[in-house]
Amino acid sequence: MTIEKVGVVGAGQMGNGIAHVSALAGYTVMMTDISQDALDSAIALIDKNMTRQVSKGAISEDEKAAALARIACTTTLTDLGPCDLIIEAATERETVKQAIFDELLPHIHENTILASNTSSISITRLASRTDRPEKFIGFHFMNPVPIMQLVELIRGIATDDATFNACQEVVDRLGKTSATSEDFPAFIVNRILMPMINEAVYALYEGVGNVSSIDTSMKLGANHPMGPLELADFIGLDTCLAIMNVLHDGLADTKYRPCPLLTKYVEAGWLGRKTKRGFYDYRGETPVPTR
């Protein structure tokens, strides 16, 4: 399987990052979103991030120009039909992802590989609704995509060796490192990371420490670059809650029960950086803890 044209579904935080690194690696990229404004913002952000790479000497001006020229945008999902690999990076809701693949299926080639950037949803279950479960794989990038080195490759129960090997080659060409995960709820990174974040929220909920003391403790006591509550805000509290629910529902273990305080923040619409409020308030010049 030779992959040269990559389709990216979704122009948000993850989608634009996937388009960015794919174009720099020499792939022709077609990025789609239901919103033209989202596509315009994504291209502007990719340009900005590549300019930063140029200033640091990571890439040249010519490499930047060539990469940007390889990215095309469309609001019509079926325009991705000719792509060799299509990576879905839409919101973390299974019904949304299923609808995307349902619409794509009649328009793609026989050998097109379908992939999902899901951080927690069953690859086997998503694949089972398509006509090519053997050509379906989990392709989970870390955020921010241009900076983070890891890609989790998740094989569904039907994923064949040719598909896995082709995607492994893509990861290598992107200059990233892969970790192979079995298809269990939240895979590897989030299976370990999200319960830690959830436990930090419980420590806040139970009054063990305030936001500042919890984050400072983990940064200076465990040498984490970012405290767990600050990291939750960066990821998005709705995403954290969704992954904890997947863990709780999928593994039926009470240790994965989402903290009620996390649920309350999400119900309030305080989702972190993207809404300007979460465990920190980002509306001023510097973030201020909300508890």
Side-chain angles (χ1 to χ4, degrees):
M1 293 183 183
T2 301
I3 295 173
E4 291 300 335
K5 188 166 187 178
V6 176
V8 180
V9 182
Q13 198 170 34
M14 300 303 294
N16 74 65
I18 295 168
H20 175 143
V21 298
S22 298
L24 272 181
Y27 292 106
T28 300
V29 178
M30 175 70 77
M31 181 168 54
T32 184
D33 198 283
I34 57 174
S35 163
Q36 184 61 50
D37 287 344
L39 290 167
D40 294 341
S41 295
I43 292 297
L45 184 58
I46 292 170
D47 191 329
K48 177 182 175 182
N49 289 338
M50 285 187 183
T51 298
R52 186 181 297 116
Q53 288 179 295
V54 171
S55 69
K56 293 180 177 178
I59 62 173
S60 68
E61 281 284 1
D62 288 346
E63 287 171 324
K64 173 193 166 185
L68 287 172
R70 293 187 195 104
I71 303 174
C73 294
T74 179
T75 55
T76 305
L77 179 63
T78 53
D79 286 347
L80 271 59
C83 294
D84 306 308
L85 168 66
I86 298 175
I87 303 173
E88 169 273 315
T91 187
E92 191 70 353
R93 292 207 303 272
E94 190 164 348
T95 53
V96 173
K97 295 177 186 299
Q98 287 172 345
I100 287 167
F101 291 122
D102 287 347
E103 187 174 345
L104 276 171
L105 285 174
H107 303 277
I108 58 179
H109 295 315
E110 181 182 353
N111 291 322
T112 298
I113 294 173
L114 295 176
S116 177
N117 183 58
T118 178
S119 54
S120 61
I121 297 168
S122 168
I123 297 302
T124 298
R125 195 164 62 241
L126 287 172
S128 71
R129 290 177 56 93
T130 73
D131 64 355
R132 62 195 66 211
E134 72 285 349
K135 290 184 173 63
F136 198 107
I137 194 168
F139 214 119
H140 182 213
F141 290 84
M142 304 297 117
N143 184 35
V145 177
I147 295 172
M148 299 296 280
Q149 183 66 20
L150 183 73
V151 177
E152 282 183 316
L153 288 179
I154 304 102
R155 298 181 74 142
I157 197 170
T159 307
D160 63 23
D161 289 341
T163 297
F164 178 82
N165 293 336
C167 290
Q168 178 69 73
E169 289 176 11
V170 172
V171 175
D172 292 343
R173 183 165 158 183
L174 295 177
K176 297 191 180 294
T177 302
S178 67
T180 306
S181 171
E182 294 299 316
D183 185 23
F184 287 99
F187 318 130
I188 295 173
V189 172
N190 284 320
R191 171 76 176 264
I192 297 168
L193 175 64
M194 285 303 158
M196 184 198 76
I197 287 175
N198 195 51
E199 194 63 27
V201 182
Y202 265 113
L204 179 65
Y205 176 61
E206 294 168 4
V208 178
N210 60 26
V211 169
S212 294
S213 61
I214 291 168
D215 276 354
T216 299
S217 294
M218 294 307 293
K219 284 191 284 188
L220 302 184
N223 204 29
H224 290 189
M226 192 182 291
L229 301 175
E230 182 185 3
L231 179 57
D233 276 357
F234 180 76
I235 294 168
L237 304 193
D238 52 339
T239 300
C240 294
L241 179 60
I243 295 170
M244 285 308 302
N245 280 325
V246 166
L247 281 165
H248 191 230
D249 295 343
L251 298 171
D253 192 323
T254 56
K255 73 180 180 181
Y256 299 116
R257 183 172 68 98
C259 179
L261 183 60
L262 177 60
T263 301
K264 189 175 293 291
Y265 269 71
V266 173
E267 288 174 345
W270 292 19
L271 308 181
R273 286 183 175 271
K274 61 187 174 185
T275 59
K276 303 296 185 184
R277 278 194 291 188
F279 292 114
Y280 292 85
D281 188 326
Y282 300 92
R283 293 173 297 174
E285 289 186 11
T286 57
V288 178
T290 54
R291 279 180 178 252

